[in-house]
Amino acid sequence: MLRGRLHFRPAYLLAFIAAQYAIYFVGRFAGQGKEFYSVARHSVHVSLEVEARGGSRKVQRYALVHDAAEAYLSDVPGPVKKSSPGYKHAERALGRAVVEALDLDVTADEKAFVERTDKVVGQYELAAYFPERGYEGPVDLRHDPDAVDASADDKALFLGRARALGLR
């Protein structure tokens, strides 16, 4: 999988499903929310929000795997991530490998669209999973995360969305 120092060869990444498997068990917010909330479920919500905002199918696919590196590196809280250039380097390298392996050639504008959408979904998540802290939810959320069955298995939810978007 590794060639040299943090140079990932997409050909040696596991198949899509296996590569994504760990994100069902990786918790957002370093596991500190009121209940477990997986990176896989977050990724589904971001992909659905991209769809609700008129994003193309290709961009919805990219949104679904935008945090794929966390399957290998875990979810690191934003303030720590920003102060850890080594983590950011590894995250970018793995992210590029996953995007290349899945042939998801997105433009800088499309990546920026997903990043903005990710922040909106993140605002919702902070308000929902840390109600005692008084976070305000986003004013412009277009997809209703509460419409997604909270009891649905995260693996089934993620794989169902991947199938719906033609990712295999």
Side-chain angles (χ1 to χ4, degrees), residues 11-59:
Y12 287 98
L13 287 175
L14 300 174
F16 173 68
I17 293 170
Q20 297 302 308
Y21 184 73
I23 68 170
Y24 312 128
F25 304 110
V26 174
R28 295 270 293 155
F29 314 115
Q32 300 302 309
K34 69 178 184 176
E35 60 191 53
F36 179 77
Y37 183 68
S38 75
V39 172
R41 186 171 289 271
H42 162 77
S43 296
V44 168
H45 288 304
V46 174
S47 179
L48 290 168
E49 182 68 18
V50 163
E51 179 181 22
R53 291 170 178 267
S56 71
R57 191 171 174 90
K58 174 181 74 168
V59 178

Short mmCIF file of all heavy atoms in Angstrom, two decimals, residues 11-59:
data_model
loop_
_atom_site.label_atom_id
_atom_site.label_comp_id
_atom_site.label_asym_id
_atom_site.label_seq_id
_atom_site.Cartn_x
_atom_site.Cartn_y
_atom_site.Cartn_z
N ALA A 11 -3.67 1.32 -6.85
CA ALA A 11 -3.84 -0.08 -7.25
C ALA A 11 -3.76 -1.02 -6.06
O ALA A 11 -4.30 -2.12 -6.10
CB ALA A 11 -2.79 -0.46 -8.29
N TYR A 12 -3.09 -0.59 -4.98
CA TYR A 12 -2.96 -1.44 -3.82
C TYR A 12 -3.95 -1.10 -2.71
O TYR A 12 -3.93 -1.72 -1.66
CB TYR A 12 -1.53 -1.40 -3.28
CG TYR A 12 -0.59 -2.16 -4.18
CD1 TYR A 12 0.18 -1.48 -5.10
CD2 TYR A 12 -0.51 -3.54 -4.13
CE1 TYR A 12 1.02 -2.17 -5.95
CE2 TYR A 12 0.33 -4.24 -4.98
CZ TYR A 12 1.09 -3.55 -5.89
OH TYR A 12 1.91 -4.24 -6.74
N LEU A 13 -4.78 -0.11 -2.94
CA LEU A 13 -5.85 0.13 -1.97
C LEU A 13 -6.82 -1.04 -2.06
O LEU A 13 -6.98 -1.65 -3.11
CB LEU A 13 -6.60 1.43 -2.28
CG LEU A 13 -5.86 2.71 -1.98
CD1 LEU A 13 -6.69 3.90 -2.46
CD2 LEU A 13 -5.56 2.84 -0.51
N LEU A 14 -7.46 -1.33 -0.99
CA LEU A 14 -8.46 -2.39 -1.01
C LEU A 14 -9.60 -2.00 -1.92
O LEU A 14 -9.77 -0.83 -2.26
CB LEU A 14 -8.98 -2.62 0.41
CG LEU A 14 -7.93 -3.03 1.43
CD1 LEU A 14 -8.55 -3.08 2.82
CD2 LEU A 14 -7.31 -4.36 1.08
N ALA A 15 -10.42 -2.96 -2.28
CA ALA A 15 -11.61 -2.67 -3.07
C ALA A 15 -12.44 -1.62 -2.33
O ALA A 15 -12.33 -1.47 -1.11
CB ALA A 15 -12.42 -3.95 -3.29
N PHE A 16 -13.29 -0.93 -3.04
CA PHE A 16 -14.05 0.18 -2.46
C PHE A 16 -14.73 -0.19 -1.15
O PHE A 16 -14.59 0.50 -0.14
CB PHE A 16 -15.09 0.67 -3.46
CG PHE A 16 -16.03 1.69 -2.89
CD1 PHE A 16 -15.56 2.96 -2.55
CD2 PHE A 16 -17.34 1.40 -2.67
CE1 PHE A 16 -16.40 3.89 -2.02
CE2 PHE A 16 -18.19 2.33 -2.12
CZ PHE A 16 -17.72 3.58 -1.81
N ILE A 17 -15.45 -1.26 -1.12
CA ILE A 17 -16.18 -1.61 0.10
C ILE A 17 -15.23 -1.88 1.25
O ILE A 17 -15.43 -1.39 2.36
CB ILE A 17 -17.11 -2.80 -0.15
CG1 ILE A 17 -18.22 -2.38 -1.13
CG2 ILE A 17 -17.72 -3.33 1.14
CD1 ILE A 17 -19.06 -3.52 -1.65
N ALA A 18 -14.19 -2.63 1.00
CA ALA A 18 -13.23 -2.93 2.06
C ALA A 18 -12.50 -1.68 2.52
O ALA A 18 -12.29 -1.48 3.71
CB ALA A 18 -12.23 -3.97 1.59
N ALA A 19 -12.17 -0.81 1.58
CA ALA A 19 -11.47 0.43 1.93
C ALA A 19 -12.33 1.32 2.80
O ALA A 19 -11.84 2.03 3.67
CB ALA A 19 -11.05 1.16 0.66
N GLN A 20 -13.61 1.28 2.60
CA GLN A 20 -14.52 2.13 3.36
C GLN A 20 -15.01 1.49 4.65
O GLN A 20 -15.60 2.13 5.49
CB GLN A 20 -15.74 2.50 2.51
CG GLN A 20 -15.38 3.29 1.28
CD GLN A 20 -14.65 4.56 1.63
OE1 GLN A 20 -15.13 5.32 2.45
NE2 GLN A 20 -13.50 4.78 1.07
N TYR A 21 -14.75 0.21 4.82
CA TYR A 21 -15.32 -0.53 5.93
C TYR A 21 -15.10 0.12 7.29
O TYR A 21 -16.01 0.22 8.10
CB TYR A 21 -14.77 -1.96 5.94
CG TYR A 21 -15.38 -2.83 7.01
CD1 TYR A 21 -16.68 -3.29 6.86
CD2 TYR A 21 -14.68 -3.16 8.15
CE1 TYR A 21 -17.26 -4.07 7.84
CE2 TYR A 21 -15.25 -3.94 9.13
CZ TYR A 21 -16.54 -4.40 8.97
OH TYR A 21 -17.12 -5.15 9.93
N ALA A 22 -13.91 0.60 7.53
CA ALA A 22 -13.59 1.14 8.86
C ALA A 22 -14.40 2.39 9.20
O ALA A 22 -14.60 2.66 10.38
CB ALA A 22 -12.10 1.44 8.95
N ILE A 23 -14.87 3.16 8.22
CA ILE A 23 -15.58 4.38 8.59
C ILE A 23 -16.93 4.11 9.22
O ILE A 23 -17.53 5.01 9.78
CB ILE A 23 -15.70 5.40 7.43
CG1 ILE A 23 -16.59 4.92 6.32
CG2 ILE A 23 -14.34 5.82 6.94
CD1 ILE A 23 -16.90 6.00 5.30
N TYR A 24 -17.40 2.87 9.19
CA TYR A 24 -18.64 2.55 9.91
C TYR A 24 -18.39 2.58 11.40
O TYR A 24 -19.30 2.75 12.19
CB TYR A 24 -19.17 1.16 9.55
CG TYR A 24 -19.23 0.85 8.08
CD1 TYR A 24 -18.65 -0.30 7.58
CD2 TYR A 24 -19.84 1.72 7.20
CE1 TYR A 24 -18.70 -0.58 6.23
CE2 TYR A 24 -19.88 1.45 5.85
CZ TYR A 24 -19.31 0.29 5.37
OH TYR A 24 -19.35 0.02 4.03
N PHE A 25 -17.14 2.36 11.78
CA PHE A 25 -16.78 2.24 13.19
C PHE A 25 -16.01 3.45 13.71
O PHE A 25 -15.72 3.52 14.90
CB PHE A 25 -15.95 0.97 13.42
CG PHE A 25 -16.67 -0.25 12.96
CD1 PHE A 25 -16.25 -0.93 11.84
CD2 PHE A 25 -17.80 -0.70 13.62
CE1 PHE A 25 -16.93 -2.06 11.39
CE2 PHE A 25 -18.49 -1.83 13.18
CZ PHE A 25 -18.05 -2.51 12.06
N VAL A 26 -15.65 4.37 12.82
CA VAL A 26 -14.94 5.58 13.24
C VAL A 26 -15.98 6.61 13.62
O VAL A 26 -16.87 6.95 12.83
CB VAL A 26 -14.04 6.12 12.10
CG1 VAL A 26 -13.41 7.45 12.49
CG2 VAL A 26 -12.97 5.10 11.74
N GLY A 27 -15.88 7.11 14.84
CA GLY A 27 -16.85 8.09 15.34
C GLY A 27 -16.42 9.52 15.03
O GLY A 27 -15.25 9.86 15.09
N ARG A 28 -17.42 10.33 14.74
CA ARG A 28 -17.18 11.77 14.58
C ARG A 28 -16.92 12.38 15.95
O ARG A 28 -17.31 11.82 16.97
CB ARG A 28 -18.42 12.44 13.97
CG ARG A 28 -18.73 12.01 12.56
CD ARG A 28 -18.07 12.86 11.52
NE ARG A 28 -18.61 14.21 11.54
CZ ARG A 28 -17.96 15.28 11.11
NH1 ARG A 28 -16.75 15.18 10.66
NH2 ARG A 28 -18.51 16.46 11.16
N PHE A 29 -16.27 13.52 15.96
CA PHE A 29 -16.05 14.29 17.19
C PHE A 29 -15.26 13.53 18.24
O PHE A 29 -15.49 13.69 19.44
CB PHE A 29 -17.38 14.77 17.78
CG PHE A 29 -18.33 15.36 16.79
CD1 PHE A 29 -19.54 14.76 16.50
CD2 PHE A 29 -17.99 16.52 16.10
CE1 PHE A 29 -20.41 15.30 15.57
CE2 PHE A 29 -18.86 17.07 15.16
CZ PHE A 29 -20.06 16.45 14.90
N ALA A 30 -14.36 12.68 17.79
CA ALA A 30 -13.53 11.87 18.71
C ALA A 30 -14.40 11.11 19.71
O ALA A 30 -14.01 10.87 20.84
CB ALA A 30 -12.51 12.75 19.43
N GLY A 31 -15.61 10.73 19.26
CA GLY A 31 -16.51 9.95 20.10
C GLY A 31 -17.13 10.71 21.25
O GLY A 31 -17.65 10.09 22.19
N GLN A 32 -17.13 12.03 21.21
CA GLN A 32 -17.57 12.82 22.36
C GLN A 32 -19.01 13.29 22.30
O GLN A 32 -19.47 13.97 23.21
CB GLN A 32 -16.66 14.06 22.52
CG GLN A 32 -15.21 13.72 22.74
CD GLN A 32 -14.98 12.85 23.95
OE1 GLN A 32 -15.44 13.17 25.04
NE2 GLN A 32 -14.30 11.74 23.77
N GLY A 33 -19.76 12.96 21.27
CA GLY A 33 -21.15 13.41 21.18
C GLY A 33 -22.05 12.69 22.15
O GLY A 33 -21.64 11.79 22.89
N LYS A 34 -23.33 13.07 22.16
CA LYS A 34 -24.29 12.46 23.09
C LYS A 34 -24.52 10.98 22.78
O LYS A 34 -25.00 10.25 23.62
CB LYS A 34 -25.61 13.23 23.10
CG LYS A 34 -26.41 13.11 21.81
CD LYS A 34 -27.73 13.85 21.90
CE LYS A 34 -28.54 13.61 20.63
NZ LYS A 34 -29.84 14.21 20.69
N GLU A 35 -24.19 10.56 21.56
CA GLU A 35 -24.26 9.15 21.16
C GLU A 35 -23.30 8.95 20.00
O GLU A 35 -22.83 9.91 19.40
CB GLU A 35 -25.69 8.77 20.77
CG GLU A 35 -26.24 9.57 19.61
CD GLU A 35 -27.73 9.36 19.40
OE1 GLU A 35 -28.49 9.53 20.34
OE2 GLU A 35 -28.10 9.05 18.26
N PHE A 36 -23.01 7.69 19.70
CA PHE A 36 -22.09 7.39 18.61
C PHE A 36 -22.67 7.88 17.29
O PHE A 36 -23.85 7.67 16.99
CB PHE A 36 -21.82 5.89 18.54
CG PHE A 36 -20.88 5.52 17.43
CD1 PHE A 36 -19.52 5.73 17.56
CD2 PHE A 36 -21.37 4.99 16.24
CE1 PHE A 36 -18.64 5.41 16.53
CE2 PHE A 36 -20.51 4.67 15.20
CZ PHE A 36 -19.14 4.88 15.35
N TYR A 37 -21.84 8.52 16.52
CA TYR A 37 -22.22 9.03 15.20
C TYR A 37 -21.04 8.76 14.27
O TYR A 37 -19.96 9.33 14.45
CB TYR A 37 -22.52 10.53 15.30
CG TYR A 37 -22.99 11.16 14.01
CD1 TYR A 37 -24.23 10.84 13.47
CD2 TYR A 37 -22.20 12.08 13.36
CE1 TYR A 37 -24.66 11.43 12.29
CE2 TYR A 37 -22.62 12.68 12.18
CZ TYR A 37 -23.85 12.35 11.66
OH TYR A 37 -24.28 12.93 10.49
N SER A 38 -21.22 7.88 13.31
CA SER A 38 -20.10 7.43 12.49
C SER A 38 -19.76 8.37 11.34
O SER A 38 -20.61 9.14 10.86
CB SER A 38 -20.39 6.03 11.92
OG SER A 38 -21.32 6.12 10.86
N VAL A 39 -18.53 8.28 10.90
CA VAL A 39 -18.08 9.02 9.72
C VAL A 39 -18.88 8.55 8.50
O VAL A 39 -19.20 9.35 7.62
CB VAL A 39 -16.56 8.85 9.51
CG1 VAL A 39 -16.11 9.45 8.19
CG2 VAL A 39 -15.80 9.48 10.67
N ALA A 40 -19.25 7.27 8.46
CA ALA A 40 -20.04 6.75 7.33
C ALA A 40 -21.39 7.47 7.25
O ALA A 40 -21.80 7.91 6.17
CB ALA A 40 -20.26 5.25 7.49
N ARG A 41 -22.08 7.61 8.37
CA ARG A 41 -23.39 8.28 8.39
C ARG A 41 -23.21 9.76 8.01
O ARG A 41 -24.00 10.31 7.23
CB ARG A 41 -24.04 8.14 9.76
CG ARG A 41 -25.45 8.70 9.82
CD ARG A 41 -26.14 8.33 11.13
NE ARG A 41 -26.46 6.92 11.18
CZ ARG A 41 -27.61 6.39 10.73
NH1 ARG A 41 -28.54 7.16 10.22
NH2 ARG A 41 -27.82 5.10 10.82
N HIS A 42 -22.18 10.39 8.55
CA HIS A 42 -21.88 11.78 8.19
C HIS A 42 -21.69 11.90 6.68
O HIS A 42 -22.23 12.81 6.04
CB HIS A 42 -20.62 12.24 8.93
CG HIS A 42 -19.98 13.45 8.34
ND1 HIS A 42 -20.47 14.73 8.52
CD2 HIS A 42 -18.87 13.58 7.55
CE1 HIS A 42 -19.72 15.58 7.87
NE2 HIS A 42 -18.73 14.90 7.27
N SER A 43 -20.94 10.97 6.10
CA SER A 43 -20.66 11.02 4.67
C SER A 43 -21.93 10.88 3.84
O SER A 43 -22.09 11.54 2.81
CB SER A 43 -19.65 9.93 4.30
OG SER A 43 -18.42 10.19 4.94
N VAL A 44 -22.84 10.03 4.29
CA VAL A 44 -24.14 9.89 3.61
C VAL A 44 -24.89 11.22 3.67
O VAL A 44 -25.43 11.68 2.66
CB VAL A 44 -24.97 8.74 4.23
CG1 VAL A 44 -26.41 8.78 3.72
CG2 VAL A 44 -24.32 7.39 3.92
N HIS A 45 -24.91 11.85 4.83
CA HIS A 45 -25.62 13.13 4.97
C HIS A 45 -25.00 14.21 4.08
O HIS A 45 -25.73 14.99 3.47
CB HIS A 45 -25.64 13.59 6.43
CG HIS A 45 -26.56 12.78 7.28
ND1 HIS A 45 -27.90 12.61 7.00
CD2 HIS A 45 -26.34 12.09 8.42
CE1 HIS A 45 -28.46 11.85 7.92
NE2 HIS A 45 -27.53 11.51 8.80
N VAL A 46 -23.68 14.24 3.99
CA VAL A 46 -23.03 15.23 3.12
C VAL A 46 -23.40 14.97 1.66
O VAL A 46 -23.75 15.88 0.93
CB VAL A 46 -21.50 15.25 3.33
CG1 VAL A 46 -20.83 16.18 2.31
CG2 VAL A 46 -21.15 15.69 4.75
N SER A 47 -23.39 13.70 1.26
CA SER A 47 -23.75 13.36 -0.11
C SER A 47 -25.20 13.74 -0.41
O SER A 47 -25.49 14.29 -1.48
CB SER A 47 -23.53 11.85 -0.33
OG SER A 47 -23.90 11.49 -1.64
N LEU A 48 -26.10 13.49 0.52
CA LEU A 48 -27.50 13.84 0.32
C LEU A 48 -27.70 15.36 0.31
O LEU A 48 -28.55 15.88 -0.43
CB LEU A 48 -28.38 13.19 1.40
CG LEU A 48 -28.51 11.67 1.29
CD1 LEU A 48 -29.14 11.09 2.55
CD2 LEU A 48 -29.31 11.28 0.05
N GLU A 49 -26.93 16.07 1.12
CA GLU A 49 -27.01 17.55 1.11
C GLU A 49 -26.48 18.11 -0.20
O GLU A 49 -27.05 19.05 -0.74
CB GLU A 49 -26.26 18.13 2.31
CG GLU A 49 -26.33 19.64 2.42
CD GLU A 49 -27.71 20.19 2.77
OE1 GLU A 49 -28.58 19.45 3.26
OE2 GLU A 49 -27.93 21.42 2.55
N VAL A 50 -25.43 17.51 -0.73
CA VAL A 50 -24.91 17.92 -2.04
C VAL A 50 -26.00 17.72 -3.10
O VAL A 50 -26.23 18.59 -3.95
CB VAL A 50 -23.62 17.15 -2.40
CG1 VAL A 50 -23.29 17.26 -3.90
CG2 VAL A 50 -22.45 17.66 -1.57
N GLU A 51 -26.68 16.58 -3.02
CA GLU A 51 -27.78 16.33 -3.97
C GLU A 51 -28.87 17.39 -3.82
O GLU A 51 -29.36 17.93 -4.81
CB GLU A 51 -28.36 14.94 -3.73
CG GLU A 51 -29.52 14.60 -4.66
CD GLU A 51 -30.10 13.22 -4.40
OE1 GLU A 51 -29.93 12.68 -3.29
OE2 GLU A 51 -30.73 12.69 -5.34
N ALA A 52 -29.26 17.69 -2.58
CA ALA A 52 -30.31 18.67 -2.33
C ALA A 52 -29.92 20.07 -2.82
O ALA A 52 -30.79 20.87 -3.15
CB ALA A 52 -30.64 18.71 -0.84
N ARG A 53 -28.64 20.33 -2.90
CA ARG A 53 -28.14 21.63 -3.37
C ARG A 53 -27.88 21.63 -4.87
O ARG A 53 -27.33 22.59 -5.41
CB ARG A 53 -26.86 22.00 -2.62
CG ARG A 53 -27.11 22.33 -1.18
CD ARG A 53 -25.82 22.46 -0.38
NE ARG A 53 -26.15 22.81 0.98
CZ ARG A 53 -26.21 24.06 1.45
NH1 ARG A 53 -25.92 25.06 0.65
NH2 ARG A 53 -26.56 24.30 2.69
N GLY A 54 -28.26 20.54 -5.56
CA GLY A 54 -28.15 20.49 -7.01
C GLY A 54 -26.81 19.98 -7.53
O GLY A 54 -26.52 20.12 -8.72
N GLY A 55 -26.00 19.39 -6.65
CA GLY A 55 -24.72 18.84 -7.08
C GLY A 55 -24.90 17.66 -8.01
O GLY A 55 -25.83 16.86 -7.86
N SER A 56 -24.00 17.53 -8.96
CA SER A 56 -24.07 16.44 -9.92
C SER A 56 -23.85 15.09 -9.23
O SER A 56 -23.37 15.02 -8.10
CB SER A 56 -23.00 16.63 -11.01
OG SER A 56 -21.71 16.39 -10.45
N ARG A 57 -24.18 14.04 -9.94
CA ARG A 57 -23.97 12.68 -9.41
C ARG A 57 -22.49 12.44 -9.08
O ARG A 57 -22.17 11.85 -8.06
CB ARG A 57 -24.47 11.68 -10.46
CG ARG A 57 -24.57 10.27 -9.99
CD ARG A 57 -25.30 9.47 -11.09
NE ARG A 57 -25.33 8.09 -10.81
CZ ARG A 57 -26.29 7.47 -10.12
NH1 ARG A 57 -27.28 8.16 -9.64
NH2 ARG A 57 -26.25 6.17 -9.92
N LYS A 58 -21.60 12.94 -9.93
CA LYS A 58 -20.17 12.80 -9.69
C LYS A 58 -19.79 13.49 -8.38
O LYS A 58 -19.03 12.94 -7.57
CB LYS A 58 -19.38 13.41 -10.85
CG LYS A 58 -17.87 13.43 -10.63
CD LYS A 58 -17.12 14.06 -11.78
CE LYS A 58 -17.30 15.55 -11.76
NZ LYS A 58 -16.41 16.28 -12.66
N VAL A 59 -20.31 14.67 -8.13
CA VAL A 59 -19.99 15.40 -6.91
C VAL A 59 -20.63 14.72 -5.69
O VAL A 59 -20.04 14.69 -4.61
CB VAL A 59 -20.38 16.89 -7.03
CG1 VAL A 59 -20.09 17.65 -5.75
CG2 VAL A 59 -19.62 17.54 -8.20
#
